[in-house]
Amino acid sequence: MQHTFSITTKATLLFLGMVATGNSFSIENDSGYQTLANTSDRIIVKYKSTIHSSKMKSMSGSFALTPMEEATPVKRTSDGAHIFKLSSQKTLEELQGIIAEIKQSSQVEYAEPDLILHPSFTPDDSRYNEQWHYFDETAGIQLPQAWDSTQGNSAVVAILDTGYRPHKDLVANILPGYDMVSDLFMANDGDARDSDAMDPGTYAAECNSYRSSWHGTHIAGTVAAIGNNQVGVTGVAFQAKLLPVRVLGRCGGYMSDIADGIAWAAGLSIPGIEDNQNPANVINLSLGATFIGCPKTLNRAINAARQQGATIVTAAGNGSKNASMTTPANCDGVIAVAASNHEASRASFSNYGSLVDVSAPGVDILSTHNSGHVSPGYDTYSSAKGTSMAAPHVSGVAALLYALKPDITPDEVKQIITMTARPFPNRCIGCGSGIVDAAAAVAAIKEDTNNITGLTQLYNATPITGLAADTNQALKFFIDVPEGADTLSFDISGGIGDADLYIQYAEEPTQTAYLCRSYQNGNAEHCTIKSIKEGRYYVMVDAYAAFLNATLVANYTIIENDPDRNFQNLKDYPIPDFAFSGATSPIDVSRSGASGEVDLIVIIKHPYIREVTVELIDPEGGVHNLKGLEGYGEDLVEHYSLQLGDIPSEGRWLLRVKDFGSHGNGYIDSWRMVFP
């Protein structure tokens, strides 16, 4: 039986809204899940009540939904709508075309795609639940939805502030910076300008500052604290890199030093100083002074940095006055950020006015900090308020955009952030275009990026689900791997059909040119690349036979190249079958002291990993079980974190692997130990 359908205005608006933002569009619903505009193979059709029930009952088996598309009735929803299954997975654009074709009927109340929903990415940092400013539905910046698409990989954000402390939740993301403080008293570190951007403390009774602020460390944590590491907090762009430029010390910092810091951060040359090898995409200025009009010194530095492609984000100021009286917020070309609160309104202390571009949360912002009152103490976390805390939210969102489109211009960044900001629920005069919305900003940039490249970007440890292709078709992806990454792996799993996996560095793979290929029967495919380079890896998922509902994920681990902390064995050790002695791979550790928390990265090649057990044996003979007779598929690529306490680190460590099955032989490929 063939039907034609009509689509209501409500459904039309839904489609137009989703297509306008491209395949990256997402909507958060009450359950905390989001709709990912990828594919679906079903349509929901609600008939008008005038359709006789006998016609409904007569539909069985497949029938022509349109002249080009067959559909099979699946079920009815609680409100009487019918679900039809199409012959294959369709993109939202294709679904829109089908629905446009069936809109001719007057018998249908509405029709829409039966969207596939997925959980939004949520980091496992222990205090993430306290970072309300990221996920609060009314007052937050909607980060979880943005993280499904980008986490800031490869972007560089300069923090021009008091310097940084090597906090455990920051240090892996910190690049070599510079101390631009030229005054010895302000510097408080015994010298003037040098390449050490660490914060020695800003305690200064002379300026009524009776406790060091560790301001730069707090700002850095909001931008790019390490995410998904089960520790503390996460940053807005937690895979971005931080470039610390110390421009503030005791009693503040001179404008001339700040101007030099802006120029240096952007990659420009400063006389007598080694050039910055990691020019910033974004420069965060959570600082200011009362001054009507932008000083020429700052104006020239900001213009020069923007010409280099750097976006400048500034705090609007905390005087509850017009931002036109605060510099550099009043300089042309910057993104001036006011502070909002839990109620999604302007924070009482925040500056305001026509020069404010956008607002961001600036109250009760939890971030990385230090316990020291005068000089540095131990790592802590602390909540703070101010437009200083609001600005790094916007800098982090800008980093997400640069990660998706590295050649984006500062003007484009500003336009996207301001145009996609979420309006205040209540009128807020002088608060800019609204509260920065990370999800909307990322969706806007991804539409253009995907259309240009024809590829879908992968992000570390972030699965892409619902993949489908017809026989001999291919889906194409890429992932940008940062410096210091180790053990890159790709996996396809789930669904039905037969997908093959091809990986290539720096260019797209083909069926004859690839770095790694996996072509098992079905969709269980795996590729591991040990000696990886910084840069772009391309992925092709080829349909040897048509497949549906497959999942693709890429994983890598960031390892610091510190010979006092990192030890590895890259030799292959065959694993004998049914031998209780198993195979052992040694690592001789020369580091002294207690082991503490140790990270292990283990790669074992085996056709049926369920048959394999893995143990770590410490220098004192203690056995630590890593894996039992469990798991599915082939090969093991795993990251273990062990609390080894006072066990001495020095001596011979052994990785022992036993094979208790008969499904083929395997070997220990490599393993690595990383000490704290």
Side-chain angles (χ1 to χ4, degrees):
M1 182 173 78
Q2 181 170 334
H3 292 278
T4 56
F5 304 96
S6 65
I7 187 166
T8 66
T9 302
K10 179 179 178 181
T12 303
L13 289 175
L14 173 62
F15 269 105
L16 291 178
M18 302 187 86
V19 173
T21 55
N23 290 343
S24 64
F25 188 90
S26 63
I27 305 171
E28 186 75 359
N29 70 7
D30 293 339
S31 67
Y33 285 80
Q34 67 169 351
T35 59
L36 296 180
N38 43 24
T39 61
S40 181
D41 60 351
R42 305 203 308 192
I43 286 179
I44 303 171
V45 178
K46 181 67 167 65
Y47 292 91
K48 292 181 179 179
S49 58
T50 55
I51 303 299
H52 196 274
S53 60
S54 62
K55 292 186 177 180
M56 301 296 99
K57 294 178 181 178
S58 67
M59 292 189 301
S60 61
S62 297
F63 64 97
L65 182 68
T66 73
M68 299 297 293
E69 184 63 37
E70 282 195 344
T72 303
V74 176
K75 63 177 182 177
R76 294 181 66 179
T77 65
S78 58
D79 68 345
H82 285 69
I83 310 299
F84 296 101
K85 184 176 179 62
L86 306 179
S87 59
S88 63
Q89 292 278 334
K90 308 292 182 185
T91 66
L92 282 180
E93 287 83 358
E94 290 171 329
L95 291 172
Q96 183 194 26
I98 293 171
I99 289 177
E101 193 171 339
I102 64 177
K103 70 180 182 180
Q104 302 167 24
S105 174
S106 60
Q107 299 177 345
V108 167
E109 183 178 332
Y110 66 82
E112 57 189 7
D114 194 0
L115 299 169
I116 298 173
L117 286 84
H118 307 274
S120 295
F121 177 84
T122 301
D124 62 8
D125 303 78
S126 59
R127 300 188 67 177
Y128 171 72
N129 64 317
E130 299 175 57
Q131 294 183 281
W132 67 270
H133 37 103
Y134 291 172
F135 53 77
D136 186 273
E137 290 184 1
T138 302
I141 67 171
Q142 315 307 313
L143 259 181
Q145 300 95 309
W147 281 334
D148 287 335
S149 299
T150 174
Q151 295 155 8
N153 184 287
S154 77
V156 176
V157 182
I159 309 297
L160 271 66
D161 216 286
T162 63
Y164 78 101
R165 294 308 307 164
H167 196 288
K168 63 183 178 182
D169 219 359
L170 288 177
V171 68
N173 281 346
I174 292 178
L175 296 169
Y178 209 87
D179 182 358
M180 286 288 174
V181 180
S182 58
D183 181 87
L184 287 175
F185 171 78
M186 287 181 171
N188 193 32
D189 60 0
D191 57 18
R193 291 183 170 183
D194 58 32
S195 59
D196 182 3
M198 283 200 288
D199 185 350
T202 55
Y203 174 92
E206 298 86 342
C207 304
N208 297 317
S209 179
Y210 296 103
R211 180 167 184 166
S212 292
S213 68
W214 315 114
H215 192 265
T217 297
H218 197 280
I219 302 306
T222 299
V223 173
I226 302 166
N228 219 36
N229 64 344
Q230 301 181 350
V231 174
V233 299
T234 187
V236 173
F238 61 81
Q239 287 194 13
K241 292 299 183 183
L242 295 163
L243 179 70
V245 184
R246 187 171 178 243
V247 296
L248 303 176
R250 290 193 293 196
C251 302
Y254 283 108
M255 183 173 66
S256 56
D257 289 342
I258 294 168
D260 280 352
I262 293 170
W264 184 86
L268 296 166
S269 295
I270 305 296
I273 295 175
E274 185 177 348
D275 287 351
N276 171 24
Q277 300 303 308
N278 300 286
N281 303 117
V282 185
I283 298 175
N284 188 91
L285 300 173
S286 288
L287 46 79
T290 299
F291 195 85
I292 299 176
C294 181
K296 286 184 172 58
T297 300
L298 281 179
N299 185 60
R300 291 171 64 87
I302 288 169
N303 287 342
R306 281 169 45 79
Q307 289 174 6
Q308 293 293 108
T311 293
I312 316 294
V313 179
T314 71
N318 300 329
S320 189
K321 60 186 179 184
N322 197 297
S324 63
M325 301 174 65
T326 300
T327 198
N330 59 10
C331 293
D332 290 338
V334 304
I335 302 176
V337 185
S340 56
N341 57 23
H342 287 276
E343 291 71 43
S345 59
R346 181 174 68 87
S348 60
F349 55 79
S350 178
N351 284 358
Y352 52 86
S354 61
L355 294 184
V356 170
D357 297 298
V358 72
S359 294
V363 176
D364 295 331
I365 306 303
L366 182 68
S367 188
T368 46
H369 212 246
N370 191 274
S371 68
H373 283 239
V374 177
S375 57
Y378 53 85
D379 292 346
T380 61
Y381 299 88
S382 179
S383 292
K385 67 178 182 179
T387 56
S388 283
M389 284 68 237
H393 286 80
V394 176
S395 292
V397 172
L400 299 180
L401 301 185
Y402 275 97
L404 288 172
K405 187 181 179 184
D407 61 347
I408 194 171
T409 68
D411 286 338
E412 289 173 328
V413 171
K414 184 172 183 176
Q415 181 182 30
I416 289 170
I417 286 176
T418 55
M419 293 292 289
T420 59
R422 192 170 65 259
F424 283 87
N426 300 306
R427 188 180 182 192
C428 187
I429 300 174
C431 300
S433 59
I435 299 173
V436 64
D437 189 319
V442 164
I445 196 67
K446 270 201 73 180
E447 177 189 15
D448 182 53
T449 302
N450 285 343
N451 288 342
I452 291 174
T453 65
L455 306 174
T456 300
Q457 186 165 9
L458 292 168
Y459 298 92
N460 189 33
T462 305
I464 295 181
T465 60
L467 299 180
D470 292 331
T471 303
N472 295 326
Q473 289 185 338
L475 306 179
K476 297 183 179 181
F477 307 84
F478 71 91
I479 185 169
D480 291 322
V481 177
E483 182 181 5
D486 185 72
T487 313
L488 176 64
S489 65
F490 300 87
D491 289 275
I492 303 174
S493 61
I496 59 174
D498 193 348
D500 294 337
L501 179 63
Y502 297 82
I503 312 297
Q504 183 64 292
Y505 177 73
E507 61 184 6
E508 293 185 33
T510 67
Q511 291 182 341
T512 57
Y514 49 83
L515 184 64
C516 179
R517 177 181 69 173
S518 176
Y519 56 111
Q520 305 295 319
N521 289 329
N523 290 342
E525 308 294 344
H526 174 80
C527 271
T528 298
I529 302 168
K530 283 196 296 183
S531 300
I532 64 175
K533 308 174 187 177
E534 177 186 5
R536 180 162 292 184
Y537 285 79
Y538 290 87
V539 182
M540 181 172 72
V541 179
D542 184 69
Y544 181 82
F547 64 87
L548 289 172
N549 295 324
T551 296
L552 171 66
V553 64
N555 288 279
Y556 58 76
T557 303
I558 299 294
I559 298 295
E560 295 178 69
N561 255 336
D562 184 347
D564 295 326
R565 298 179 56 226
N566 296 287
F567 302 87
Q568 64 181 354
N569 189 331
L570 301 179
K571 290 184 178 180
D572 295 343
Y573 292 84
I575 307 167
D577 282 343
F578 293 106
F580 284 96
S581 60
T584 57
S585 173
I587 288 180
D588 292 315
V589 175
S590 57
R591 174 185 184 273
S592 60
S595 294
E597 183 177 354
V598 177
D599 288 328
L600 302 180
I601 296 91
V602 177
I603 302 177
I604 296 169
K605 298 289 189 177
H606 194 281
Y608 193 54
I609 204 65
R610 187 180 181 86
E611 299 177 346
V612 167
T613 65
V614 185
E615 300 168 325
L616 175 70
I617 303 175
D618 64 46
E620 295 183 332
V623 178
H624 310 270
N625 292 318
L626 302 179
K627 179 192 173 299
L629 296 173
E630 58 196 9
Y632 295 94
E634 63 179 16
D635 298 343
L636 176 74
V637 180
E638 193 62 71
H639 181 179
Y640 301 97
S641 184
L642 302 181
Q643 295 287 350
L644 298 179
D646 294 330
I647 296 174
S649 56
E650 188 172 10
R652 172 159 288 196
W653 296 76
L654 298 174
L655 186 76
R656 182 165 63 191
V657 181
K658 301 177 184 179
D659 185 349
F660 293 99
S662 58
H663 288 82
N665 297 320
Y667 60 92
I668 302 173
D669 184 75
S670 64
W671 69 294
R672 181 193 295 264
M673 302 185 71
V674 183
F675 291 87

